[in-house]
Amino acid sequence: MRRGNQSSVSEFLLLGLPIRPQQRCVVFTLFLGVYLTTVLGNLLIILLIRLDCRLHTPMYFFLSHLAFTDVSFSSVTIPKMLMDMHTEYKFIPYAGCISQIYFFILFGCFDNFLLAVMAYDRYVAICQPLHYTTIMREELCISLVAGSWVFCCIHALLHTLLLVQLSFCADNTIPHFFCDLTVLLKLSCSDISLNELVIFTEGGTLFILPLSSILASYICIGTTILRVPSTKRLFKAFSTCGSHLFVVSLYYGTLAFVYFFSSSWDSNNKDVIASVMYTVVTPMLNPFIYSLRNRDIKQALEIVVNRANFLK
């Protein structure tokens, strides 16, 4: 942190969730349960994929990375929010706030890219099944994940470096439960035109490209299925793409509903509700979506449980 001519603010005040004091205990218990469910559920999926050799396929390779990202994404914000509820000390150091923004952008971006990569994997599996093993080889899967990490690291670093160049003068109150980039830009007493331009161009591009890739993949999948419609092919496509499509709909649908179709809400409340949905709710639901609707995951879980009972 450069406190000299860059910022006179050494810490920020997080207002947290808009809840009443008498509701704090209930909300704390609820979010603690949600966070523990998120962590344990996603770690269980990672463990099952690593233990069961039948799950060593591209689809589950990407799913394990999605589970890791969900745990990391939630861990960036929820522990601090829970600590603020418990201790009522809602201040966060300047360096901690900047770090939180970096990792929030990093894991949010990677989640976006990974959903696009998983959509491409489903496209190859349905539209080019005879060439699936040739196209989705191990080297390509690793390259897609590694490339996504590199792009997202650069993306997060760019916005973080631009942010630390700004000055923060008197107001250090953040009407949120974590350090949000757009909120901090509003608090800055510097010229933020460059930051807004980069968010609109570079950030918008990295958001639109994965979404366009997902839409293109599912358009091709739908076209392929409709060419020779049959109940068997429809069932196979649904069982193959159903979980991923549900996660994509939940992820992008939440953002669209809150930011575009809820204009009557207060802007700060919209930001908080949207953040709770895609930082708390969505990562918690992903393990249930992929485990309850996935026969391979359920079989792997049964094997692990049976082994544990046998050892007892």
Side-chain angles (χ1 to χ4, degrees):
M1 166 182 165
R2 293 178 288 180
R3 299 186 185 182
N5 60 353
Q6 291 298 321
S7 176
S8 60
V9 174
S10 60
E11 60 183 9
F12 293 96
L13 173 63
L14 297 171
L15 295 184
L17 297 175
I19 57 176
R20 298 173 182 175
Q22 58 268 28
Q23 299 174 331
R24 186 178 297 115
C25 182
V26 176
V27 175
F28 175 84
T29 305
L30 174 64
F31 278 92
L32 178 61
V34 169
Y35 179 64
L36 292 177
T37 302
T38 301
V39 173
L40 295 177
N42 283 287
L43 290 181
L44 178 61
I45 286 182
I46 296 174
L47 179 65
L48 293 177
I49 292 174
R50 291 189 62 87
L51 292 179
D52 196 328
C53 60
R54 297 175 303 169
L55 302 182
H56 295 173
T57 61
M59 182 178 72
Y60 294 108
F61 172 75
F62 297 135
L63 178 57
S64 64
H65 282 272
L66 180 65
F68 170 77
T69 307
D70 285 337
V71 172
S72 304
F73 192 52
S74 297
S75 299
V76 172
T77 58
I78 300 181
K80 172 60 179 171
M81 178 185 67
L82 292 174
M83 186 177 69
D84 291 344
M85 286 186 191
H86 182 67
T87 63
E88 296 188 23
Y89 182 81
K90 299 183 178 182
F91 288 94
I92 181 171
Y94 176 86
C97 190
I98 298 300
S99 300
Q100 192 178 61
I101 287 177
Y102 173 81
F103 287 108
F104 183 84
I105 296 174
L106 171 63
F107 293 120
C109 173
F110 185 72
D111 206 6
N112 195 26
F113 269 69
L114 198 56
L115 289 176
V117 170
M118 295 175 74
Y120 174 72
D121 174 68
R122 296 300 85 205
Y123 156 75
V124 177
I126 294 177
C127 299
Q128 303 182 45
L130 299 179
H131 304 284
Y132 179 78
T133 55
T134 305
I135 297 176
M136 299 304 298
R137 56 192 185 278
E138 183 179 0
E139 295 80 8
L140 178 62
C141 296
I142 295 175
S143 299
L144 289 172
V145 171
S148 298
W149 276 117
V150 171
F151 274 108
C152 292
C153 286
I154 296 175
H155 169 66
L157 185 62
L158 173 63
H159 289 280
T160 305
L161 290 178
L162 289 175
L163 179 64
V164 298
Q165 302 302 316
L166 302 178
S167 298
F168 298 91
C169 303
D171 190 7
N172 70 333
T173 302
I174 300 177
H176 222 308
F177 63 89
F178 71 97
C179 292
D180 184 67
L181 177 61
T182 57
V183 176
L184 279 179
L185 292 180
K186 294 178 182 178
L187 294 180
S188 174
C189 50
S190 303
D191 181 16
I192 61 173
S193 56
L194 178 59
N195 301 72
E196 292 177 333
L197 178 63
V198 173
I199 291 175
F200 182 77
T201 55
E202 186 267 350
T205 301
L206 288 186
F207 179 82
I208 292 174
L209 284 179
L211 178 58
S212 301
S213 175
I214 294 172
L215 293 176
S217 296
Y218 278 105
I219 289 174
C220 293
I221 290 173
T223 303
T224 301
I225 295 173
L226 293 177
R227 283 177 185 170
V228 188
S230 67
T231 304
K232 184 178 180 180
R233 293 193 66 179
L234 287 173
F235 179 78
K236 181 180 179 181
F238 181 76
S239 62
T240 304
C241 306
S243 299
H244 177 260
L245 190 57
F246 190 86
V247 171
V248 170
S249 302
L250 184 65
Y251 182 81
Y252 290 103
T254 300
L255 297 180
F257 176 78
V258 175
Y259 286 112
F260 296 105
F261 300 109
S262 302
S263 57
S264 60
W265 295 355
D266 177 74
S267 59
N268 289 334
N269 286 338
K270 286 201 300 182
D271 291 340
V272 173
I273 293 172
S275 300
V276 168
M277 288 300 296
Y278 59 76
T279 63
V280 180
V281 178
T282 302
M284 180 197 67
L285 292 179
N286 284 352
F288 295 99
I289 294 171
Y290 280 102
S291 60
L292 295 178
R293 298 180 55 86
N294 192 296
R295 182 178 58 186
D296 295 333
I297 291 290
K298 289 189 288 186
Q299 289 178 348
L301 180 60
E302 290 176 1
I303 292 175
V304 172
V305 172
N306 291 334
R307 287 178 180 176
N309 292 332
F310 177 77
L311 292 176
K312 288 182 181 180

